[in-house]
Amino acid sequence: MEGNKFSYCPQCGSRNIETHRGGYKWVCPDCGFDLYCNVASAVGVVIADSEGKILFERRAKEPRKGKLALPGGFTTMDESAEESAARECLEETGVSPRNIRYLCSYPNDYLYKGIHYKTCDLFFTAEIDAGTELRAQEQEVTAFEWIPVRSHGDVDALDLGFPSARHTLHKWVEEVLRLPR
């Protein structure tokens, strides 16, 4: 994915801003300002019920509006990935997850309002009580779907918004269901 290009230095306003590292570093020769677009951390939570169905959300906004996603989002400053997973799950579903356990991580590209963000998506497994009522965070989620995932073919058939979630679900099939790829 091609990086970002800016027309002005954010510090002095110079039009001489230079783009480096494929659009992930900017240097202003006029004032000496350097800006790096570092990787952002994000989390996702795989919640499975006793029947092997996984909780998915339909995205309410771009990027990839209408696609399936796992509950999750960006970590905030001074927050661990586990705290972020619990907070994001509570915000998006109205439910506090239990037994949050690290599963895997994958890089991701996140295009938002014309800016390309590189993320490192950290995924966790967690549990919620059976029959718990889910409450969608309206600006983030249009609907919830419990979808059976019992094989790699099931993962491939999902209308997922992000490749990192697909990789994670393949990992989940291998680790939890013990099915080789």
Side-chain angles (χ1 to χ4, degrees):
M1 175 179 279
E2 184 179 317
N4 305 301
K5 184 168 172 85
F6 295 107
S7 301
Y8 300 95
C9 172
Q11 184 163 312
C12 74
S14 170
R15 288 182 163 261
N16 294 325
I17 190 87
E18 299 171 356
T19 302
H20 297 274
R21 292 190 179 175
Y24 293 94
K25 178 184 178 184
W26 303 273
V27 176
C28 179
D30 294 339
C31 71
F33 181 74
D34 286 350
L35 174 64
Y36 293 86
C37 184
N38 293 318
V39 171
S41 60
V43 296
V45 184
V46 179
I47 299 171
D49 69 8
S50 60
E51 298 173 9
K53 294 178 185 173
I54 293 181
L55 176 62
F56 291 96
E57 305 170 342
R58 285 280 174 194
R59 291 184 55 79
K61 65 180 187 178
E62 295 296 344
R64 300 174 179 116
K65 182 178 180 178
K67 299 286 187 180
L68 291 173
L70 297 166
F74 288 98
T75 59
T76 61
M77 288 185 267
D78 300 321
E79 181 178 58
S80 72
E82 291 82 359
E83 291 168 336
S84 179
R87 176 187 52 77
E88 284 287 346
C89 188
L90 177 60
E91 288 175 2
E92 292 185 356
T93 69
V95 179
S96 291
R98 296 185 326 277
N99 298 324
I100 297 171
R101 304 245 188 260
Y102 176 77
L103 177 62
C104 60
S105 66
Y106 291 97
N108 195 24
D109 291 312
Y110 193 88
L111 177 62
Y112 183 68
K113 294 188 177 183
I115 301 294
H116 293 228
Y117 297 92
K118 294 288 192 177
T119 64
C120 180
D121 296 349
L122 302 137
F123 290 92
F124 298 85
T125 59
E127 300 170 0
I128 61 173
D129 291 330
T132 300
E133 181 183 345
L134 302 171
R135 292 179 311 279
Q137 183 182 26
E138 289 181 20
Q139 63 270 31
E140 299 286 333
V141 179
T142 60
F144 297 109
E145 297 180 33
W146 288 94
I147 300 174
V149 176
R150 297 184 181 101
S151 69
H152 291 287
D154 289 345
V155 173
D156 291 334
L158 293 168
D159 185 27
L160 291 167
F162 300 103
S164 60
R166 187 172 313 284
H167 294 307
T168 295
L169 292 170
H170 280 297
K171 180 78 166 176
W172 183 84
V173 166
E174 292 168 9
E175 299 277 323
V176 175
L177 301 182
R178 306 270 190 233
L179 296 176
R181 189 135 186 203

mmCIF file of all heavy atoms in Angstrom, residues 157-181:
data_model
loop_
_atom_site.group_PDB
_atom_site.id
_atom_site.type_symbol
_atom_site.label_atom_id
_atom_site.label_comp_id
_atom_site.label_asym_id
_atom_site.label_seq_id
_atom_site.Cartn_x
_atom_site.Cartn_y
_atom_site.Cartn_z
ATOM 1 N N ALA A 157 -15.008 -18.307 3.625
ATOM 2 C CA ALA A 157 -16.309 -17.881 3.120
ATOM 3 C C ALA A 157 -16.831 -16.610 3.786
ATOM 4 O O ALA A 157 -17.800 -16.012 3.304
ATOM 5 C CB ALA A 157 -17.327 -19.014 3.301
ATOM 6 N N LEU A 158 -16.202 -16.160 4.854
ATOM 7 C CA LEU A 158 -16.684 -14.993 5.587
ATOM 8 C C LEU A 158 -16.426 -13.701 4.821
ATOM 9 O O LEU A 158 -15.383 -13.529 4.196
ATOM 10 C CB LEU A 158 -16.007 -14.920 6.959
ATOM 11 C CG LEU A 158 -16.365 -16.023 7.947
ATOM 12 C CD1 LEU A 158 -15.420 -16.008 9.134
ATOM 13 C CD2 LEU A 158 -17.816 -15.875 8.402
ATOM 14 N N ASP A 159 -17.346 -12.768 4.920
ATOM 15 C CA ASP A 159 -17.254 -11.447 4.291
ATOM 16 C C ASP A 159 -16.545 -10.482 5.254
ATOM 17 O O ASP A 159 -17.130 -9.502 5.715
ATOM 18 C CB ASP A 159 -18.662 -10.951 3.951
ATOM 19 C CG ASP A 159 -18.666 -9.643 3.192
ATOM 20 O OD1 ASP A 159 -17.681 -9.348 2.481
ATOM 21 O OD2 ASP A 159 -19.669 -8.913 3.309
ATOM 22 N N LEU A 160 -15.286 -10.800 5.544
ATOM 23 C CA LEU A 160 -14.537 -10.033 6.541
ATOM 24 C C LEU A 160 -13.997 -8.729 5.986
ATOM 25 O O LEU A 160 -13.606 -8.647 4.819
ATOM 26 C CB LEU A 160 -13.370 -10.875 7.071
ATOM 27 C CG LEU A 160 -13.774 -12.073 7.917
ATOM 28 C CD1 LEU A 160 -12.586 -13.003 8.127
ATOM 29 C CD2 LEU A 160 -14.342 -11.611 9.254
ATOM 30 N N GLY A 161 -13.922 -7.736 6.855
ATOM 31 C CA GLY A 161 -13.406 -6.440 6.463
ATOM 32 C C GLY A 161 -11.896 -6.354 6.419
ATOM 33 O O GLY A 161 -11.354 -5.573 5.643
ATOM 34 N N PHE A 162 -11.217 -7.133 7.240
ATOM 35 C CA PHE A 162 -9.765 -6.981 7.357
ATOM 36 C C PHE A 162 -9.040 -8.318 7.231
ATOM 37 O O PHE A 162 -9.433 -9.312 7.855
ATOM 38 C CB PHE A 162 -9.405 -6.332 8.698
ATOM 39 C CG PHE A 162 -10.012 -4.970 8.847
ATOM 40 C CD1 PHE A 162 -11.126 -4.771 9.649
ATOM 41 C CD2 PHE A 162 -9.482 -3.881 8.173
ATOM 42 C CE1 PHE A 162 -11.693 -3.513 9.780
ATOM 43 C CE2 PHE A 162 -10.040 -2.619 8.293
ATOM 44 C CZ PHE A 162 -11.147 -2.435 9.099
ATOM 45 N N PRO A 163 -7.961 -8.348 6.458
ATOM 46 C CA PRO A 163 -7.179 -9.582 6.306
ATOM 47 C C PRO A 163 -6.623 -10.099 7.631
ATOM 48 O O PRO A 163 -6.502 -11.306 7.816
ATOM 49 C CB PRO A 163 -6.041 -9.190 5.361
ATOM 50 C CG PRO A 163 -6.473 -7.947 4.687
ATOM 51 C CD PRO A 163 -7.436 -7.269 5.615
ATOM 52 N N SER A 164 -6.292 -9.200 8.549
ATOM 53 C CA SER A 164 -5.732 -9.646 9.829
ATOM 54 C C SER A 164 -6.742 -10.507 10.585
ATOM 55 O O SER A 164 -6.362 -11.474 11.250
ATOM 56 C CB SER A 164 -5.286 -8.456 10.677
ATOM 57 O OG SER A 164 -6.379 -7.586 10.949
ATOM 58 N N ALA A 165 -8.025 -10.197 10.479
ATOM 59 C CA ALA A 165 -9.056 -11.016 11.133
ATOM 60 C C ALA A 165 -9.133 -12.394 10.475
ATOM 61 O O ALA A 165 -9.305 -13.408 11.159
ATOM 62 C CB ALA A 165 -10.407 -10.311 11.080
ATOM 63 N N ARG A 166 -9.010 -12.439 9.151
ATOM 64 C CA ARG A 166 -9.036 -13.736 8.451
ATOM 65 C C ARG A 166 -7.855 -14.609 8.903
ATOM 66 O O ARG A 166 -8.015 -15.790 9.204
ATOM 67 C CB ARG A 166 -9.018 -13.531 6.936
ATOM 68 C CG ARG A 166 -9.210 -14.845 6.164
ATOM 69 C CD ARG A 166 -9.397 -14.643 4.680
ATOM 70 N NE ARG A 166 -10.356 -13.613 4.313
ATOM 71 C CZ ARG A 166 -11.689 -13.733 4.369
ATOM 72 N NH1 ARG A 166 -12.226 -14.870 4.787
ATOM 73 N NH2 ARG A 166 -12.480 -12.735 4.006
ATOM 74 N N HIS A 167 -6.662 -14.020 8.940
ATOM 75 C CA HIS A 167 -5.481 -14.766 9.397
ATOM 76 C C HIS A 167 -5.697 -15.275 10.829
ATOM 77 O O HIS A 167 -5.344 -16.409 11.164
ATOM 78 C CB HIS A 167 -4.226 -13.897 9.358
ATOM 79 C CG HIS A 167 -3.802 -13.488 7.992
ATOM 80 N ND1 HIS A 167 -3.589 -14.380 6.953
ATOM 81 C CD2 HIS A 167 -3.537 -12.265 7.475
ATOM 82 C CE1 HIS A 167 -3.216 -13.735 5.867
ATOM 83 N NE2 HIS A 167 -3.183 -12.447 6.156
ATOM 84 N N THR A 168 -6.275 -14.423 11.652
ATOM 85 C CA THR A 168 -6.521 -14.793 13.047
ATOM 86 C C THR A 168 -7.498 -15.943 13.161
ATOM 87 O O THR A 168 -7.292 -16.879 13.947
ATOM 88 C CB THR A 168 -7.062 -13.578 13.822
ATOM 89 O OG1 THR A 168 -6.029 -12.595 13.862
ATOM 90 C CG2 THR A 168 -7.483 -13.948 15.227
ATOM 91 N N LEU A 169 -8.555 -15.909 12.377
ATOM 92 C CA LEU A 169 -9.533 -16.997 12.451
ATOM 93 C C LEU A 169 -8.958 -18.311 11.935
ATOM 94 O O LEU A 169 -9.280 -19.380 12.459
ATOM 95 C CB LEU A 169 -10.814 -16.603 11.718
ATOM 96 C CG LEU A 169 -11.578 -15.479 12.428
ATOM 97 C CD1 LEU A 169 -12.692 -14.957 11.543
ATOM 98 C CD2 LEU A 169 -12.113 -15.947 13.771
ATOM 99 N N HIS A 170 -8.077 -18.248 10.941
ATOM 100 C CA HIS A 170 -7.371 -19.468 10.525
ATOM 101 C C HIS A 170 -6.512 -19.979 11.682
ATOM 102 O O HIS A 170 -6.467 -21.189 11.940
ATOM 103 C CB HIS A 170 -6.511 -19.214 9.287
ATOM 104 C CG HIS A 170 -7.278 -19.207 8.006
ATOM 105 N ND1 HIS A 170 -7.957 -20.313 7.528
ATOM 106 C CD2 HIS A 170 -7.479 -18.225 7.096
ATOM 107 C CE1 HIS A 170 -8.549 -20.019 6.384
ATOM 108 N NE2 HIS A 170 -8.271 -18.753 6.092
ATOM 109 N N LYS A 171 -5.839 -19.072 12.377
ATOM 110 C CA LYS A 171 -5.023 -19.453 13.543
ATOM 111 C C LYS A 171 -5.924 -20.060 14.625
ATOM 112 O O LYS A 171 -5.569 -21.060 15.246
ATOM 113 C CB LYS A 171 -4.286 -18.222 14.067
ATOM 114 C CG LYS A 171 -3.420 -18.463 15.259
ATOM 115 C CD LYS A 171 -2.139 -19.096 14.845
ATOM 116 C CE LYS A 171 -1.128 -19.028 15.968
ATOM 117 N NZ LYS A 171 0.089 -19.716 15.617
ATOM 118 N N TRP A 172 -7.095 -19.460 14.839
ATOM 119 C CA TRP A 172 -8.041 -19.968 15.836
ATOM 120 C C TRP A 172 -8.478 -21.388 15.469
ATOM 121 O O TRP A 172 -8.538 -22.259 16.341
ATOM 122 C CB TRP A 172 -9.251 -19.029 15.921
ATOM 123 C CG TRP A 172 -10.244 -19.404 16.961
ATOM 124 C CD1 TRP A 172 -10.212 -19.103 18.285
ATOM 125 C CD2 TRP A 172 -11.438 -20.179 16.762
ATOM 126 N NE1 TRP A 172 -11.312 -19.642 18.916
ATOM 127 C CE2 TRP A 172 -12.073 -20.297 18.008
ATOM 128 C CE3 TRP A 172 -12.020 -20.778 15.646
ATOM 129 C CZ2 TRP A 172 -13.266 -20.997 18.167
ATOM 130 C CZ3 TRP A 172 -13.204 -21.471 15.802
ATOM 131 C CH2 TRP A 172 -13.819 -21.574 17.056
ATOM 132 N N VAL A 173 -8.779 -21.628 14.199
ATOM 133 C CA VAL A 173 -9.167 -22.974 13.750
ATOM 134 C C VAL A 173 -8.036 -23.965 14.044
ATOM 135 O O VAL A 173 -8.282 -25.078 14.518
ATOM 136 C CB VAL A 173 -9.542 -22.971 12.250
ATOM 137 C CG1 VAL A 173 -9.618 -24.378 11.688
ATOM 138 C CG2 VAL A 173 -10.855 -22.236 12.027
ATOM 139 N N GLU A 174 -6.792 -23.563 13.786
ATOM 140 C CA GLU A 174 -5.644 -24.443 14.038
ATOM 141 C C GLU A 174 -5.420 -24.673 15.539
ATOM 142 O O GLU A 174 -5.199 -25.800 15.966
ATOM 143 C CB GLU A 174 -4.377 -23.839 13.435
ATOM 144 C CG GLU A 174 -4.382 -23.819 11.929
ATOM 145 C CD GLU A 174 -3.268 -22.960 11.345
ATOM 146 O OE1 GLU A 174 -2.383 -22.510 12.103
ATOM 147 O OE2 GLU A 174 -3.291 -22.734 10.119
ATOM 148 N N GLU A 175 -5.469 -23.600 16.325
ATOM 149 C CA GLU A 175 -5.132 -23.680 17.755
ATOM 150 C C GLU A 175 -6.266 -24.251 18.607
ATOM 151 O O GLU A 175 -6.031 -25.047 19.502
ATOM 152 C CB GLU A 175 -4.771 -22.291 18.290
ATOM 153 C CG GLU A 175 -3.568 -21.651 17.626
ATOM 154 C CD GLU A 175 -2.257 -22.131 18.217
ATOM 155 O OE1 GLU A 175 -2.198 -22.336 19.431
ATOM 156 O OE2 GLU A 175 -1.318 -22.291 17.429
ATOM 157 N N VAL A 176 -7.486 -23.798 18.366
ATOM 158 C CA VAL A 176 -8.613 -24.179 19.217
ATOM 159 C C VAL A 176 -9.294 -25.442 18.700
ATOM 160 O O VAL A 176 -9.570 -26.358 19.464
ATOM 161 C CB VAL A 176 -9.604 -23.016 19.356
ATOM 162 C CG1 VAL A 176 -10.834 -23.434 20.132
ATOM 163 C CG2 VAL A 176 -8.935 -21.806 20.014
ATOM 164 N N LEU A 177 -9.559 -25.490 17.405
ATOM 165 C CA LEU A 177 -10.231 -26.673 16.837
ATOM 166 C C LEU A 177 -9.242 -27.778 16.468
ATOM 167 O O LEU A 177 -9.649 -28.881 16.142
ATOM 168 C CB LEU A 177 -11.048 -26.276 15.612
ATOM 169 C CG LEU A 177 -12.153 -25.227 15.838
ATOM 170 C CD1 LEU A 177 -12.895 -24.971 14.543
ATOM 171 C CD2 LEU A 177 -13.086 -25.653 16.943
ATOM 172 N N ARG A 178 -7.955 -27.431 16.474
ATOM 173 C CA ARG A 178 -6.882 -28.387 16.179
ATOM 174 C C ARG A 178 -6.981 -28.965 14.763
ATOM 175 O O ARG A 178 -6.756 -30.152 14.546
ATOM 176 C CB ARG A 178 -6.838 -29.507 17.196
ATOM 177 C CG ARG A 178 -6.738 -29.063 18.627
ATOM 178 C CD ARG A 178 -5.294 -28.929 19.017
ATOM 179 N NE ARG A 178 -5.171 -28.732 20.452
ATOM 180 C CZ ARG A 178 -4.494 -27.737 20.975
ATOM 181 N NH1 ARG A 178 -3.870 -26.885 20.211
ATOM 182 N NH2 ARG A 178 -4.412 -27.585 22.276
ATOM 183 N N LEU A 179 -7.363 -28.117 13.812
ATOM 184 C CA LEU A 179 -7.450 -28.543 12.410
ATOM 185 C C LEU A 179 -6.282 -27.955 11.649
ATOM 186 O O LEU A 179 -6.129 -26.735 11.586
ATOM 187 C CB LEU A 179 -8.771 -28.077 11.789
ATOM 188 C CG LEU A 179 -10.043 -28.659 12.386
ATOM 189 C CD1 LEU A 179 -11.264 -28.023 11.735
ATOM 190 C CD2 LEU A 179 -10.076 -30.165 12.225
ATOM 191 N N PRO A 180 -5.451 -28.803 11.048
ATOM 192 C CA PRO A 180 -4.309 -28.272 10.289
ATOM 193 C C PRO A 180 -4.779 -27.537 9.037
ATOM 194 O O PRO A 180 -5.874 -27.765 8.542
ATOM 195 C CB PRO A 180 -3.516 -29.521 9.919
ATOM 196 C CG PRO A 180 -4.504 -30.636 9.972
ATOM 197 C CD PRO A 180 -5.530 -30.256 10.992
ATOM 198 N N ARG A 181 -3.928 -26.676 8.579
ATOM 199 C CA ARG A 181 -4.271 -25.900 7.370
ATOM 200 C C ARG A 181 -3.902 -26.660 6.132
ATOM 201 O O ARG A 181 -2.987 -27.351 5.971
ATOM 202 C CB ARG A 181 -3.545 -24.556 7.404
ATOM 203 C CG ARG A 181 -4.025 -23.664 6.311
ATOM 204 C CD ARG A 181 -4.265 -22.324 6.823
ATOM 205 N NE ARG A 181 -4.870 -21.571 5.726
ATOM 206 C CZ ARG A 181 -4.829 -20.290 5.637
ATOM 207 N NH1 ARG A 181 -4.256 -19.584 6.547
ATOM 208 N NH2 ARG A 181 -5.408 -19.685 4.642
#
